């Protein structure tokens, strides 16, 4: 059974998943930052095993907008549409908090994934942690 837990702090489970995916696999060196202290964190569980996570927070620059990111699925659980499930959960939480749109910085290699979920790209491609990214947004 899949379920979710949302916290207002970076849980050990979310931290472990992000370390596995972004630090160990993708070799990012600046994975954790001050945003973690103000963000909501969602962890997805299969039965009692934490298998995916993300964070989202109020974007103070755009009215009723939330920024989402750090969406990570453990390697052995990829290809099972869990990224879409956690994205749906972010959208549900943002709506519950009164948000009307979500912005994110997508790795260019997964741009199509976000487009299939209704996100639209804008702006130029840029590098973050040695990886190509693009700004994307969705109106809820």
């Amino acid at each position: 059974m899949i379920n979710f837990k949302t916290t207002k702090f970076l849980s050990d489970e979310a931290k472990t998943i992000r370390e596995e995916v972004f630090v160990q696999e993708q070799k990012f060196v600046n994975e954790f930052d001050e945003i973690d202290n103000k963000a909501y964190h969602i962890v997805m569980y299969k039965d009692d095993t934490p298998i995916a996570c993300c964070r989202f927070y109020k974007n103070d620059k755009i009215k009723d907008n939330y920024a989402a990111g750090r969406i990570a699925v453990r390697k052995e659980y990829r290809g099972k549409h869990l990224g879409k499930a956690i994205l749906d959960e972010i959208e549900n939480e943002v709506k519950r908090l009164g948000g009307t749109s979500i912005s994110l910085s997508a790795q260019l290699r997964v741009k199509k994934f976000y487009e299939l979920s209704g996100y639209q790209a804008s702006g130029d491609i840029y590098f973050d942690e040695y990886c190509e990214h693009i700004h994307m947004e969705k109106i809820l």
Side-chain angles (χ1 to χ4, degrees), residues 5 11 41 51 72 78-79 87 92 105 107 124 131 136:
K5 181 179 179 185
S11 67
H41 299 269
I51 61 173
R78 292 182 196 147
L87 195 57
N92 291 336
S105 177
Q107 289 184 18
D124 295 326
C131 182
M136 300 189 82

Side-chain angles (χ1 to χ4, degrees), residues 19-125:
E19 285 175 344
E20 286 177 17
V21 173
F22 296 119
V23 177
Q24 294 171 17
E25 286 181 41
Q26 297 184 17
K27 308 298 184 207
F28 289 2
V29 293
N30 297 311
E31 173 52 23
F32 302 98
D33 57 27
E34 69 282 348
I35 293 171
D36 285 321
N37 297 325
K38 72 174 189 174
Y40 292 90
H41 299 269
I42 298 174
V43 176
M44 175 191 285
Y45 297 85
K46 182 175 189 317
D47 301 317
D48 292 329
T49 303
I51 61 173
C53 69
C54 65
R55 74 179 186 190
F56 69 96
Y57 56 94
K58 180 79 173 87
N59 181 350
D60 296 328
K61 297 175 184 167
I62 303 171
K63 184 178 182 338
D64 299 327
N65 178 268
Y66 282 75
R70 302 305 206 265
I71 299 172
V73 178
R74 284 187 155 150
K75 195 173 199 173
E76 61 269 29
Y77 294 97
R78 292 182 196 147
K80 301 176 187 329
H81 306 288
L82 299 175
K84 173 70 170 121
I86 202 159
L87 195 57
D88 290 344
E89 185 67 13
I90 295 168
E91 292 173 9
N92 291 336
E93 288 289 323
V94 167
K95 286 180 200 175
R96 185 183 63 76
L97 293 168
T100 59
S101 66
I102 297 177
S103 299
L104 54 86
S105 177
Q107 289 184 18
L108 194 59
R109 66 182 182 81
V110 292
K111 177 181 172 228
K112 184 74 171 169
F113 162 76
Y114 290 108
E115 288 174 334
L116 290 171
S117 293
Y119 288 78
Q120 295 183 341
S122 64
D124 295 326
I125 295 169

